[in-house]
Amino acid sequence: MRRLRPGDDALFHGMLDLFAEVFDDAESYSSARPGQAYRSALLARDDVVMLVALEDQTLAGALVAYKLRKFEQERSEFYIYDLAVAQAWRRRGIATALIDHLKTIAKTNGGWVVYVQADDGDDPAIALYSKLGRRENVLHFDLFLDR
């Protein structure tokens, strides 16, 4: 497990390639990649956690999470925004290891919970998250901004 920091440009791009492939979404992950200054600033932030799992120098999995500071108590939540494991590396505990590593980071940074969403019908993700935590049935709404 490795947390990406400024200068990890090749791994950052590898992570985006992995997400594009696993999620079949090249438009989101490849069409307008952030420039050097934006990327470096993002990777330097403590409230953005980007983790990669390397197996034999190969990028096997990746996770991106955000720390959300709460207002009602002095604590934070960590939201897993993206998590993917390359096809060839699945069923080897990599996703669980990425989540466990994030949980360690969250504990040392004021976190009290890590949460994640799964799409209805994504049975492997739902099975993994059900094994690791408690399921809550919620509705998700995207409130798009006029462009």
Side-chain angles (χ1 to χ4, degrees):
M1 296 302 130
R2 178 171 170 178
R3 184 171 185 175
L4 299 186
R5 290 298 190 189
D8 286 329
D9 297 330
L11 287 172
F12 180 89
H13 287 293
M15 179 183 69
L16 289 178
D17 291 340
L18 175 67
F19 290 148
E21 179 183 330
V22 169
F23 302 142
D24 192 26
D25 190 1
E27 175 66 26
S28 293
Y29 295 97
S30 299
S31 66
R33 291 191 173 178
Q36 178 67 45
Y38 183 93
R39 186 172 57 248
S40 291
L42 189 65
L43 290 171
R45 295 180 60 118
D46 285 332
D47 60 346
V48 178
V49 180
M50 296 185 192
L51 302 174
V52 294
L54 299 170
E55 298 286 344
D56 299 326
Q57 304 301 324
T58 300
L59 182 62
L63 177 151
V64 175
Y66 298 96
K67 176 181 179 179
L68 305 170
R69 294 174 65 112
K70 302 300 290 178
F71 69 93
E72 71 278 6
Q73 292 186 31
E74 291 182 24
R75 62 184 186 183
S76 297
E77 299 176 348
F78 283 73
Y79 171 59
I80 298 174
Y81 184 78
D82 276 331
L83 170 61
V85 176
Q87 181 69 37
W89 294 98
R90 292 187 184 153
R91 312 282 312 154
R92 299 181 191 201
I94 292 171
T96 300
L98 284 163
I99 291 170
D100 285 345
H101 196 72
L102 173 63
K103 288 167 71 174
T104 299
I105 292 169
K107 266 187 192 177
T108 61
N109 287 279
W112 76 281
V113 70
V114 171
Y115 69 101
V116 63
Q117 293 176 213
D119 291 329
D120 197 27
D122 188 351
D123 296 335
I126 292 169
L128 172 66
Y129 303 144
S130 294
K131 178 179 81 170
L132 299 176
R134 185 180 74 224
R135 179 177 175 161
E136 294 188 30
N137 290 321
V138 298
L139 300 174
H140 171 98
F141 299 90
D142 289 329
L143 307 175
F144 291 102
L145 305 177
D146 293 332
R147 295 178 193 232

